[in-house]
Amino acid sequence: MAAPTARLVAACPDRPGIIAAATAFVADHGGNVVDLQQHTDHHDGAFFLRLEFEVDAFDVDRAGFAPAFAPVADRFDMRWRLGHSDHRPRVGLLASKQPHCVHDLLHRWREGDLAIEVPVLVSNHPDHEAAAEWFGVEFRHLPIVDGDKATQEAQVRRVLREHGVELVVLARYMQVLSAEMCDEWSERIINIHHSFLPSFQGARPYHQAHERGVKIIGVTAHYATAVLDDGPIIEQDVIRVSHRDDVDDLRRKGRDLEVAVLARAVRAHIGDRTLVYGRRTVVFD
Amino acid sequence: MAAPTARLVAACPDRPGIIAAATAFVADHGGNVVDLQQHTDHHDGAFFLRLEFEVDAFDVDRAGFAPAFAPVADRFDMRWRLGHSDHRPRVGLLASKQPHCVHDLLHRWREGDLAIEVPVLVSNHPDHEAAAEWFGVEFRHLPIVDGDKATQEAQVRRVLREHGVELVVLARYMQVLSAEMCDEWSERIINIHHSFLPSFQGARPYHQAHERGVKIIGVTAHYATAVLDDGPIIEQDVIRVSHRDDVDDLRRKGRDLEVAVLARAVRAHIGDRTLVYGRRTVVFD
Amino acid sequence: MAAPTARLVAACPDRPGIIAAATAFVADHGGNVVDLQQHTDHHDGAFFLRLEFEVDAFDVDRAGFAPAFAPVADRFDMRWRLGHSDHRPRVGLLASKQPHCVHDLLHRWREGDLAIEVPVLVSNHPDHEAAAEWFGVEFRHLPIVDGDKATQEAQVRRVLREHGVELVVLARYMQVLSAEMCDEWSERIINIHHSFLPSFQGARPYHQAHERGVKIIGVTAHYATAVLDDGPIIEQDVIRVSHRDDVDDLRRKGRDLEVAVLARAVRAHIGDRTLVYGRRTVVFD
Amino acid sequence: MAAPTARLVAACPDRPGIIAAATAFVADHGGNVVDLQQHTDHHDGAFFLRLEFEVDAFDVDRAGFAPAFAPVADRFDMRWRLGHSDHRPRVGLLASKQPHCVHDLLHRWREGDLAIEVPVLVSNHPDHEAAAEWFGVEFRHLPIVDGDKATQEAQVRRVLREHGVELVVLARYMQVLSAEMCDEWSERIINIHHSFLPSFQGARPYHQAHERGVKIIGVTAHYATAVLDDGPIIEQDVIRVSHRDDVDDLRRKGRDLEVAVLARAVRAHIGDRTLVYGRRTVVFD
C-alpha cells in the first residue's frame, strides 16, 4: 500500500530558485518528494509545477499548509493548490438520457477504479433512476418545466451545493450551462464534445462527417466555460473510421471514445494533474 | 512474384446483380478475382466496387477493355476506371522550400517502396536542385516573377504535361492552385494540410495550437479542388502532443506526420484504392 | 432502419469464377449484395469471402439455403456458414471474480450496443450474483469443489447447452478449458490474454513488464483452443505505458484494454466477420 | 532561440531532500531550472531525476561541474551524467544492406532535425557508399573476410574510436556485437528489433506472423547488450495489419515503423532523456 501523498500544483512567473525553495520547504518539514514534474514555457515565461510528496512524516497539517507555505508562494507570486491522495473528491454527475458515460463512471466508482465519491446524480430526464438505485447513488430528477432553464439550473446548483460537490462531471448532459454556474465551479466542471477533422458547423455532425468521408473522429474533454465547447482542453483522443461505417457506427464508436476520454479526464483532475493556464490546461503525466 | 493484376474501380446507383455481372464478365474472359471489396451506402443508394483480378489468362487486352465492358457499365450506369499493377504511374512532384516530403517520396521511389515513376520535380524555389540530381529526377525551377502567379502556373502545367504526368503530388508546395489546374488533374492532385482539434482560423496554426493546449495534432491528405484544403479526404492521422512540446516541437512532429500521411495517400491512389464520390473519397483497404 | 441481411462467410481453394457463381446465386434468387469482401491469399492459394445481401426479396428461406446453395458450395469445395443480421446470438458468459468485462458486456447487451441475447452468466465464484439480477440475466454459481475441475466443467457445459448458448465468452474466466469443451464450441469460444512486448514466461506478467520497462502493453482476443492462449487471433490492441506507471497502473490500463478488445472481438464474431483458417482468423472489416 | 541548457540525469536510492539539494545547487550557482522530471519507484526504492537548467548565468564551467557537484552526488550516492543542449553528439552509424534507417537518420542530421554530428558510416557491405558521399559523411566499408567476424569488429571499433564516436546507432546492422563492444559503448549503442504479439522463435518472423494472423506488428529500440535483443528498452511502437497484408506488406510496414522508432530512440538519447536502471530504461518525456 502506497503511503498517502500530497500534491502541490502551482504556476507562477518563471525565475530562478522556485523549485529549490518549494522542495526545501517540503524537505525541511519532513516530506519526501516522490514525483515532481516541472516545466517552463519560454514563450510565456510561465513556470508550472506538480510536486507530490509523502506526508507521513510531514510536520505541517492540512489546515496549516497555507500559512506555512505563504512565504514561498508570496515570494514567487505563485498560484497554487494542494490535493491529497487519500481525499476522495465528491463528484456530482449531470446527465440527460444517454447512459454510456454515467454508467461507466458509476462502475469505476464502485469498483474503486476512480478514487471518488459520487453523492448525487442529477438529470433533466427520469431515465437513470433505476441505475442510480443499483449503484447506490442518490438520484435527482430536475426537469426543465415550461422551458424555464434558469429555474432548473438554480435547482441543480442547489443540489450540487447541498451534496458538497467539488467536481461536476457532465456525463452527456445536453444543456448549456450559464456563465454563473461555470464560474461557481470554475475549473471544476468537466465536459466532453465531438472533435472532427475538419470541424463541422451546425447540426448532425456525424451525418456531416459521414458525408465528408472523414477517416478519423475525435472527442475532447475540457473544463466548461461560458463559451460552449471552448474551455481549456484536458484530454483528446481519436478513432479511425471508414466508408463502411454508417452514421450509427460513427455514433457507436463516438460513444466508446466519449467513455474513455471522459474517464481519463476525470482521472487527471482527481489526481491533481491538471493546471489551467490561460486558455489551456497543462496536464502532468 | 505476384502475377500482374488489373483493378476495376467503379461506382453506380445500387441495384441487384451488379457484382454478379462484373465478376461474370471477368470470369468469362479468363480473369481470376484475387481481391474484391464492395460496399453499398444505404443513405445514398450508392454502390462502390474495387475488383482486382489476375490478367495472365484474361483474353481482353487493355485497349479493348472499354468496349468489351461497355454492356455491363451501361446496364448499371457505372462510372469506372481500370488500373494495372504493372503500370507505374508518372508522378510529378511540386514543392517549395521544405525538403521532408520531397525527400521521402524520392527515397521511396528509388528504393522501389512506391511503384511510381518520377519524371520531374518542379519548384518555385531553387533549393531542391542538388537533391533532384542525386535522386536522378529532372528539376525545373519555375519561380513566380513579379508576383505573376498565373504565368508561373501555366509554366508548371506545361512542364507536367510535357512529362506525361498522371498524378501531381504537392509535397509542401505553398502555392494555391487555380481552379483550372485542379480541373485538368481532377482527382489526380494530392495535397496535405494541417488538421487541428479544434481547427484554427488565420495564420500560424501551430502557435495557436500551442496556446490553446491541444493534446493532438493531425494531418489530412486530400485531392486538391478549387476550394483550399476542402477536397475529398484520402487519409488522416494524428499524433499526441503535450505542454512540453514547444512550437518547434509541434512543427517537427507535424513534419513526420506529413511525410507518413502523404506517402500513405500516394500509395492508396496508385494502388487504385481511392474512389471519389461527391465530397468524399471511398478508400478501399 | 436497415433491411435484414444475410452474411455468407466462406473459404475454399482459389480458382476462377467463385465470386461470379456466388453472386449470381444471390442475384438469381432476388438477393441484393450490399457488402462484399473477398481476398485471396496467394501463399496458401486460399480464397476468403464475406458476402452480405439483403433478404427481403430473397426467395430461398433459411432452412432451404443449404440445399439450394449446395451446387455452388460443392463445385468449389467451399467451407461456409450463413448468418443473419436479425438473429441475436445467444451468448453465455463465463467469469471468475473480476467484474470489468462482465459488466461491460452486460451493459452493451442491455443498451442494444451488441445485438446479442445473454441467457446465462456462469461463474466459479458467487461475486456476480447481484449484478446478474440487476441486468436481468440468469446467474449460475458453479464452484470447483474439492479441486474437481472436470465435474465443474461438465456442469458448466450442461448449463450452456440448456440455455442454447451459441457463443461462449470468457469474460476473465480464470479456468483452463478442456480440449473437449473447446471442441464442442469450436471457433465459438472467445477468450482474451495479455500480450507483452517482449512476452514473459511465468507468473505475474505485469510485474515482469514493469521491471523490464516495457513501453507498451497489449491484449489479444482469440478463439479458445486446447493450447492455452494459442488459438486463432481475432483482435489485438496496445496502450502506451511509462516508468510512471506502477504495477497497479499497468493492471488498470490492462483492464480498460481487455474491455475494449473483448467487446470488439465479440462484435466481429456476431457480425459474421470472422473466418478461422488454419491457425489464423481472417477478420473482415 | 532558446538559451543553452544543461541536463543532469541521475539515479540514486530514494530518501528525503534529494531534489532540494540538487536544485539548490543549481540555483546557488546561477542556473535556472526550465524542466524537471523526477520519479520514485516505490517498489525498488529508486529515485530518478532529469533536471534541465539554463546555463547562461551558471557560474560553474563544464570541467568544474563534477568536483563542484560531488558533495551533493556523494551525499545521496548518486549515479549521474550531465549533457548540454549545445553539444552535438558524434554518432557513428553501422549498417548492412538495407537503406531505410540509414537514409532517414542522415536526412534528419542534414536538415537539423536531429542535433547530432555523423562523422562516419560503417558497413560490412559497399551499398551505402554513394549515399554517404551525397550526405557528406565518411564511408568505411569493412567486410567480414573469410568469416572472421572478430577481426572485422576490431576494425569497426577502431574506426569508431578514431572518429570520436559517442553514440553508435545500428541502422539495420545485421551482425551480432560482441560483449566487449557492448561494454565499450555501454548504454551508448542503440539497436532495433521486431516485436510481435505473440513473439516468434526462429527464422522468418514475418512469415510466421502472417501465418499466425497477427493483427499488430511492432518494433522495439533498445540499448545493445551481450544478450541479443534483450537490452533495456528505449522505445516501442506498433502498427495494425490485416489478412490483406502479405509478407511483403508486413515487411514494408515494418520498415516504416523501424525508421520512426529508431529516430525517436536516438532523439531521446541525445536529449539526455534516457536513464538505464537495471534491465530497464527510464525515458523522461
Side-chain angles (χ1 to χ4, degrees), chain D residues 9-26:
Chain D
V9 180
C12 61
D14 185 39
R15 43 181 276 211
I18 309 172
I19 301 183
T23 54
F25 173 83
V26 169

Side-chain angles (χ1 to χ4, degrees), chain B residues 34-36 38-40 285, chain C residues 14 34-36 38-40 285:
Chain B
V34 292
D35 195 290
L36 189 154
Q38 180 272 327
H39 185 69
T40 299
D285 290 319
Chain C
D14 186 37
V34 292
D35 195 291
L36 190 154
Q38 180 272 329
H39 185 69
T40 299
D285 292 319

Side-chain angles (χ1 to χ4, degrees), chain D residues 76-256:
Chain D
F76 294 103
D77 198 16
M78 216 178 253
R79 187 163 58 86
W80 64 273
R81 70 173 193 273
L82 190 76
H84 291 87
S85 67
D86 58 5
H87 172 70
R88 302 169 72 86
R90 295 175 72 79
V91 174
L93 298 181
L94 267 60
S96 291
K97 291 191 169 185
Q98 294 186 70
H100 53 290
C101 286
V102 169
H103 195 93
D104 178 72
L105 290 170
L106 290 174
H107 178 72
R108 290 182 189 274
W109 163 48
R110 187 171 60 186
E111 296 301 329
D113 181 75
L114 284 174
I116 55 176
E117 294 301 332
V118 184
V120 68
L121 163 58
V122 178
S123 180
N124 52 334
H125 294 284
D127 307 59
H128 302 304
E129 181 157 16
E133 187 180 3
W134 155 246
F135 280 108
V137 59
E138 182 177 334
F139 179 72
R140 297 296 291 272
H141 176 211
L142 298 175
I144 296 167
V145 179
D146 298 333
D148 184 355
K149 296 188 176 192
T151 296
Q152 188 256 8
E153 190 186 278
Q155 295 169 330
V156 170
R157 292 166 69 180
R158 197 174 315 122
V159 166
L160 295 176
R161 278 185 224 115
E162 288 168 3
H163 287 80
V165 163
E166 300 162 272
L167 172 69
V168 179
V169 177
L170 307 185
R172 304 306 286 143
Y173 183 63
M174 309 311 282
Q175 298 298 317
V176 177
L177 305 187
S178 69
E180 290 70 30
M181 180 161 176
C182 292
D183 279 349
E184 180 171 353
W185 280 276
S186 175
E187 302 177 12
R188 293 185 300 132
I189 302 176
I190 297 178
N191 196 7
I192 47 175
H193 66 275
H194 305 134
S195 297
F196 294 102
L197 300 165
S199 57
F200 301 104
Q201 306 298 325
R204 304 208 307 169
Y206 281 121
H207 281 83
Q208 294 192 62
H210 180 67
E211 187 197 339
R212 192 67 174 74
V214 303
K215 307 307 180 198
I216 280 174
I217 59 173
V219 168
T220 296
H222 63 280
Y223 285 114
T225 58
V227 181
L228 183 63
D229 294 347
D230 189 56
I233 297 167
I234 307 170
E235 170 68 344
Q236 303 183 290
D237 209 349
V238 300
I239 191 169
R240 291 189 80 84
V241 298
S242 84
H243 62 280
R244 293 188 186 280
D245 293 299
D246 62 24
V247 173
D248 282 344
D249 292 325
L250 297 186
R251 281 203 197 95
R252 174 175 56 73
K253 291 188 172 183
R255 283 197 302 270
D256 282 1

Side-chain angles (χ1 to χ4, degrees), chain A residues 2-3 5 14-17 19-21 23-24 27 30-42 47 52 54 244 285, chain D residues 2-3 14-17 19-21 23-24 27 30-42 47 52 54 244 285:
Chain A
T5 59
D14 185 39
R15 41 179 278 209
I19 301 183
T23 54
N32 182 34
V33 177
V34 291
D35 195 289
L36 189 154
Q37 297 175 65
Q38 180 272 329
H39 186 69
T40 300
D41 188 306
H42 292 287
F47 172 101
E52 182 165 7
E54 292 171 331
R244 292 188 189 279
D285 291 319
Chain D
D14 185 39
R15 43 181 276 211
I19 301 183
T23 54
N32 181 33
V33 178
V34 291
D35 194 289
L36 189 153
Q37 297 175 65
Q38 180 271 329
H39 186 68
T40 299
D41 189 305
H42 292 286
F47 171 102
E52 181 165 8
E54 291 172 333
R244 293 188 186 280
D285 292 318

Side-chain angles (χ1 to χ4, degrees), chain A residues 9 23 32 36 50 126 154 160 168 210 239 248 269:
Chain A
V9 180
T23 54
N32 182 34
L36 189 154
R50 182 184 184 275
L160 295 176
V168 179
H210 179 69
I239 191 170
D248 282 343
H269 180 93

Side-chain angles (χ1 to χ4, degrees), chain A residues 91-93 102 105-106 109-110 117-122 128-140 163:
Chain A
V91 175
L93 298 181
V102 169
L105 291 171
L106 291 174
W109 164 48
R110 188 171 58 186
E117 295 300 333
V118 183
V120 67
L121 162 58
V122 178
H128 301 305
E129 181 158 14
E133 187 180 1
W134 156 247
F135 280 109
V137 58
E138 183 178 334
F139 179 71
R140 297 296 291 270
H163 288 79

